[in-house]
Amino acid sequence: MPNAASSAPTRQRIITAVLQIIGEDGVAAVTNRRIARQAGVSLGSVTYHFETQHDLLRESLLHFVREEARHFTELADQCRTDGIGVEDAASLAGQVACGTALDSAHLAPFELYLHASRDERLRAAAAEAFRAYDRLATRILGALGVPDAERLAATTVAVVMGLQLRRLATGSPAEDLVDALLLLTRGAAAQPAGQDVPA
């Protein structure tokens, strides 16, 4: 039985199926036949919408990042409009992390990032994904009044992604993420703009 919702547009069902397959069995398991079966579409639909496997992988990665960015942009806007402080924002991020299922769809992007290290054709998509995360981190940090938000964005993204990877691999609690974000943002907020945070 297909896992993708049959009411979704065909292209979206294919992308959802690709992310599920990658999360369950890795990039090597992605075949047009398996995608068609998982998505509940014809084999011809897969090749009609995506000419190559590279197109499939690139679009699947970018789709995941866009959805994540949309979700977290709403969080950033809430921080700005509600005047949420650092502690509340870190707690909210922890709640979001706790609410994020440790499922195959969330494992898939990490598989794709690793695959990009071996396939340079995917690196542009991976770089675009990280730029989107950096922009989002800048927005959230700026909303919290953290000085040099843009400069600290990549570090914040690295901390969040590293802890999410750890959580996926070990089942560690989302509270670890809250503690790390508090440590990072408190340290950054305490520094004048342009001054490095002590190691």
Side-chain angles (χ1 to χ4, degrees):
M1 172 172 271
N3 289 336
S6 59
S7 61
T10 300
R11 185 179 177 86
Q12 179 55 52
R13 288 162 63 189
I14 292 169
I15 286 173
T16 300
V18 169
L19 289 170
Q20 288 173 341
I21 293 165
I22 292 171
E24 289 167 6
D25 297 313
V27 173
V30 176
T31 66
N32 286 354
R33 288 188 187 282
R34 183 163 176 191
I35 294 165
R37 186 173 58 252
Q38 186 103 4
V41 301
S42 69
L43 187 58
S45 292
V46 177
T47 54
Y48 173 79
H49 287 282
F50 300 96
E51 190 173 325
T52 67
Q53 188 183 60
H54 168 67
D55 293 336
L56 267 168
L57 297 178
R58 183 188 68 239
E59 290 305 312
S60 297
L61 175 59
L62 292 176
H63 169 77
F64 179 87
V65 171
R66 286 182 198 116
E67 286 301 300
E68 288 276 283
R70 182 185 58 76
H71 180 70
F72 284 103
T73 296
E74 292 170 3
L75 176 63
D77 290 342
Q78 184 179 345
C79 288
R80 181 176 290 116
T81 58
D82 294 352
I84 293 175
V86 171
E87 271 103 17
D88 289 336
S91 177
L92 191 54
Q95 289 171 22
V96 170
C98 282
T100 300
L102 296 174
D103 59 13
S104 59
H106 286 84
L107 183 56
F110 289 100
E111 290 273 355
L112 285 166
Y113 292 136
L114 285 174
H115 191 69
S117 72
R118 299 180 196 101
D119 183 350
E120 63 184 35
R121 294 172 304 168
L122 267 184
R123 289 185 189 163
E128 184 179 336
F130 278 97
R131 282 193 299 272
Y133 283 131
D134 289 348
R135 285 192 302 270
L136 183 57
T138 300
R139 186 171 179 177
I140 293 172
L141 291 170
L144 292 171
V146 172
D148 277 348
E150 188 172 350
R151 184 177 64 86
L152 295 170
T155 301
T156 304
V157 169
V159 168
V160 171
M161 291 192 79
L163 286 169
Q164 282 295 76
L165 180 58
R166 179 177 180 162
R167 186 168 170 251
L168 284 164
T170 67
S172 63
E175 286 77 18
D176 290 352
L177 176 60
V178 176
D179 291 343
L181 288 175
L182 280 173
L183 181 66
L184 184 65
T185 53
R186 282 180 183 151
Q191 297 299 310
Q195 187 173 339
D196 289 336
V197 177

